[in-house]
């Protein structure tokens, strides 16, 4: 059973192509700069350095441990930590527990983020003693 009129398909296809080309031109034109700023920042690519990976891992797992998260009981390898990162995380958790008792959970979370960044930066990603650790690709 035929659903199109003979000879009509090429004209419809040409119309679809013209519509797609117009939409593409509008889309591309919207991204061009006219010398003024729109106030929107271009998102930066994710930082995949060893320091960034260390900071994110330690901060995440320290918070999970502090709050009793579902996977907090995993060992250091299951968490993706190097031996050195695990040592840093253990010290940060002790500090965070003391901070939580004195000033509450929000303050402890802030301390975790600050200390994870500081320690991972000082230790250049803290990958020592990690036979199975590989840098992010």
């Amino acid at each position: 059973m035929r659903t199109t009129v003979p000879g009509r398909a090429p004209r419809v296809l040409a119309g679809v192509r013209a519509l797609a080309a117009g939409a593409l031109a509008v889309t591309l034109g919207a991204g061009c700069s006219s010398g003024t700023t729109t106030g929107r920042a271009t998102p930066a690519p994710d930082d995949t350095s060893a320091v960034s990976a260390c900071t994110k891992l330690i901060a995440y797992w320290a918070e999970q441990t502090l709050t009793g998260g579902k996977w907090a009981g995993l060992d250091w390898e299951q968490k993706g930590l190097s031996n050195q990162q695990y040592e840093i995380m253990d010290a940060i958790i002790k500090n965070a527990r003391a901070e939580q008792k004195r000033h509450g959970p929000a303050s402890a979370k802030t301390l975790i983020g600050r200390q994870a960044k500081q320690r991972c930066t000082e230790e250049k990603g803290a990958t020592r003693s990690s036979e199975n650790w590989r840098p992010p690709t």
Side-chain angles (χ1 to χ4, degrees):
M1 182 171 181
R2 187 173 235 174
T3 58
T4 60
V5 178
R8 184 166 181 135
R11 284 185 281 175
V12 171
L13 187 56
V16 170
R17 285 183 182 151
L19 182 60
L24 180 61
V26 169
T27 302
L28 292 175
C32 295
S33 175
S34 62
T36 62
T37 59
T38 62
R40 293 185 205 163
T42 303
D46 287 339
D47 182 3
T48 58
S49 68
V51 171
S52 178
C54 172
T55 302
K56 289 174 186 176
L57 281 168
I58 289 175
Y60 176 80
W61 287 115
E63 286 180 30
Q64 290 297 305
T65 301
L66 194 66
T67 61
K70 181 178 178 179
W71 304 107
L74 297 175
D75 69 22
W76 64 273
E77 280 185 307
Q78 292 169 318
K79 292 176 181 177
L81 300 171
S82 70
N83 294 339
Q84 189 178 14
Q85 290 166 346
Y86 183 75
E87 291 169 7
I88 292 170
M89 185 188 74
D90 192 41
I92 290 173
I93 290 168
K94 288 176 186 172
N95 295 339
R97 284 187 174 134
E99 183 72 12
Q100 185 174 18
K101 285 179 185 176
R102 287 190 305 263
H103 301 290
S107 184
K109 185 177 177 178
T110 300
L111 178 134
I112 288 170
R114 184 178 66 247
Q115 287 190 357
K117 184 174 183 176
Q118 177 187 357
R119 294 288 306 274
C120 287
T121 300
E122 290 171 356
E123 300 296 328
K124 297 178 179 61
T127 58
R128 178 180 51 79
S129 302
S130 302
E131 296 171 3
N132 61 346
W133 188 88
R134 302 288 182 273
T137 55

